[in-house]
Amino acid sequence: MQKELQALLRVLPSVEELAQSPEMASAVAMYPRPLVIEAVRTALTEARRAILGADAREAGEGGGAQEEGVPAVLRSLVTPGALAAQACERLEIAARPNLRRVLNATGVVVHTNLGRSILASQAIERVVEAAAGYSTLEYRLATGVRGSRHEHVEDLLTELTGAEAAMVVNNNAAAVLLMLGALAHGREVIVSRGQLVEIGGSFRIPDIMRVGGAVLVEVGTTNKTRLSDYEAAIGPDTALLLRVHSSNFKIVGFTEEVGIVDLSSLGASRGIPVADDLGSGAIATLDVFGEEPSVEESVSAGTDVVAFSGDKLLGGPQAGIVVGRSPWIDAMKRHPLARAVRVDKMTLAALEGTLRLYRDPERAVHDIPTLRYLNRSFEETLGLAEELEERLRGRLEERGETDDVGGDEPRNWVTLSVEATGAKAGGGALPLLEVPSHAVVLRCAEEAGGQAVAGGPSVAEIERRLRSAAPPLLPVVARVGRDALFIDVAALAEAELDLVADTVSWAVRS
Ligand SMILES: *Cc1c(COP(=O)(O)O)cnc(C)c1O
């Protein structure tokens, strides 16, 4: 056999021969030559290593015992066709974008890891236009002079929130940082101990205070802070009273917080500005938002500066939106940090496109995906889940891979059902809020504990495959729980159901 292995090594094509083989022609036409050569070289190196590996094993086992010769697998691995296929796959994977579309079947609508909000089609059109051509980003067509990038959305924001002035920066973390730098540098900011929150890894209120150059003055306790606590802490160095929305957690039980109305009147009576880091910043008033404070409420309470995210409950692009009284907003626009955290034109275009939809609240809920998803009824999500189950069943039945079809089928791999779930708004908004939703639930047939039926994949294996789906399939991110895979429809568009069914049926049977 060793001889045969040596012979196999000798018949391997050269890099140049393989690169010029007919099997590589389409790849050569599609990819830059250096990449093709590199992929071909790697395929050949791996083939050589596989042959030598078999050779070494052979020697280790005493060699020559099996006169039948080289395993068929190895033989098929080193044919020119197989080598070319290897190289082409390598090229295809390398050409695949890293930032890729996925289907969000997690049941978390504003999923930070999956890009938070997806844009309304009107917003997408604006982005494409801003990206493809020169624009009026900082230019006034009427007078032919320089303008400000803040102008494009300032009127819309003041109109929608009732505030005097507005500006937009890169994200809400930047908005809070800029606010502290412009309004409280080297001075004291009073915050309730119940609001010293961490919003995901690197954004912690005490840290952001330090970076913003402000001195944090904590008042009250974790569960109770009263107006008198703020009053007692106000001194000559107080620059700001700050309320922070405890976005991602809730303290329940024996609690007391000072509302923004009371805090704002205290600030007004002492001549100290009051700021509100609202986090999610809802402009729409959906029933499901419940007690989530809206931007308008905060502004009408007389708050001087209100900061919130563009891509949480607003349903727009990543952005930090600041609305409030002109003197403070102007101070922020003039601050040197403003340039470092400024918003880019594509974001502005998307934000303008999104905000314009809010002029008609019904339109906003209909056209902005985040709002549309959160506003779905129990019945609507049930309908979507049943539709998805049916399409999935159809695809699996073609191959006989569910248990309740074709009773004679030997491969009873999975069962499908539709179950009610509680989806999440997510994105640090409404931590306890569950939105009624439904999921298609996939279990491995006839076996508890998520174990695979002989020959079939386990729930964990199917979940892994869903994430690894390659084009033209889209990866599906789903939730594993209670020995089952939950494919939640809360954050899926109707038009995505077929795509989900394609990937899931592939994952179950591949
Ligand atoms: C989400 C959040 C932030 C950070 O906003 P980004 O837009 O993610 O930068 C800051 N403060 C609060 C209260 C938040 O909920």
Side-chain angles (χ1 to χ4, degrees), residues 303-350:
T303 310
D304 295 272
V305 183
V306 183
F308 55 100
S309 290
D311 55 357
K312 292 183 180 171
L313 296 185
L314 191 79
Q318 177 191 303
I321 301 170
V322 190
V323 300
R325 295 190 197 280
S326 302
W328 310 119
I329 303 289
D330 286 346
M332 289 173 68
K333 284 178 182 167
R334 284 193 309 267
H335 193 274
L337 254 183
R339 171 61 190 260
V341 298
R342 81 176 179 186
V343 66
D344 101 298
K345 63 184 178 184
M346 288 186 281
T347 303
L348 264 179

Side-chain angles (χ1 to χ4, degrees), residues 8-260:
L8 266 189
L9 274 181
R10 273 196 303 277
V11 300
L12 281 180
S14 72
V15 170
E16 203 47 48
E17 276 165 0
L18 187 56
Q20 281 173 20
S21 68
E23 289 93 339
M24 291 299 299
S26 67
V28 167
M30 201 164 10
Y31 303 107
R33 186 172 156 83
L35 292 188
V36 174
I37 296 298
E38 180 60 31
V40 163
R41 198 187 302 280
T42 311
L44 285 169
T45 307
E46 284 186 358
R48 212 167 283 123
R49 197 172 293 149
I51 296 169
L52 292 173
D55 195 11
R57 265 197 309 282
E58 182 70 9
E61 282 161 14
Q66 302 162 290
E67 287 304 324
E68 315 83 57
V70 183
V73 195
L74 191 56
R75 208 172 269 289
S76 68
L77 215 72
V78 300
T79 61
L83 290 166
Q86 274 269 329
C88 288
E89 190 187 345
R90 206 166 278 283
L91 284 164
E92 195 267 317
I93 290 172
R96 211 180 280 167
N98 293 326
L99 182 58
R100 285 159 67 202
R101 178 175 170 197
V102 301
L103 299 164
N104 177 4
T106 61
V108 181
V109 175
V110 182
H111 196 302
T112 296
N113 301 148
L114 302 184
R116 288 199 181 154
S117 287
I118 55 176
L119 297 176
S121 60
Q122 295 90 335
I124 294 167
E125 282 167 26
R126 312 299 307 143
V127 177
V128 171
E129 194 179 318
Y134 294 105
S135 63
T136 55
L137 182 62
E138 292 184 350
Y139 187 75
R140 291 182 184 157
L141 283 176
T143 50
V145 299
R146 189 194 163 137
S148 151
R149 65 181 65 211
H150 299 297
E151 288 167 7
H152 305 293
V153 289
E154 183 156 18
D155 288 350
L156 272 166
L157 283 167
T158 56
E159 173 191 319
L160 293 169
T161 65
E164 234 172 70
M167 77 179 292
V168 180
V169 295
N170 179 64
N171 61 3
N172 190 37
V176 175
L177 182 64
L178 177 59
M179 177 178 81
L180 293 171
L183 273 55
H185 191 83
R187 299 181 61 208
E188 292 176 356
V189 178
I190 302 178
V191 188
S192 160
R193 287 200 168 87
Q195 297 172 0
L196 296 175
V197 301
E198 170 176 318
I199 319 283
S202 51
F203 186 85
R204 297 172 133 194
I205 293 297
D207 296 343
I208 216 87
M209 287 278 175
R210 198 162 25 75
V211 176
V215 179
L216 171 63
V217 176
E218 307 175 16
V219 295
T221 61
T222 305
N223 58 329
K224 283 212 172 209
T225 302
R226 303 188 179 82
L227 197 61
S228 55
D229 294 321
Y230 288 94
E231 282 180 296
I234 292 176
D237 255 357
T238 306
L240 194 67
L241 306 181
L242 175 65
R243 197 255 311 238
V244 183
H245 184 18
S246 60
S247 299
N248 48 12
F249 75 100
K250 207 162 192 94
I251 297 178
V252 294
F254 191 56
T255 67
E256 193 173 332
E257 264 198 331
V258 178
I260 195 67

Side-chain angles (χ1 to χ4, degrees), residues 426-442:
L430 313 172
L432 300 183
L433 180 110
E434 290 203 334
V435 191
S437 182
H438 285 83
V440 173
V441 185
L442 196 148

Side-chain angles (χ1 to χ4, degrees), residues 23 30-31 115-116 130 162 211 214 264 289 307 320 357 360 382 389 398 413:
E23 289 93 339
M30 201 164 10
Y31 303 107
R116 288 199 181 154
V211 176
S264 287
F289 288 179
L357 295 172
D360 177 351
L382 174 62
E389 189 207 17
E398 287 166 19
W413 285 353

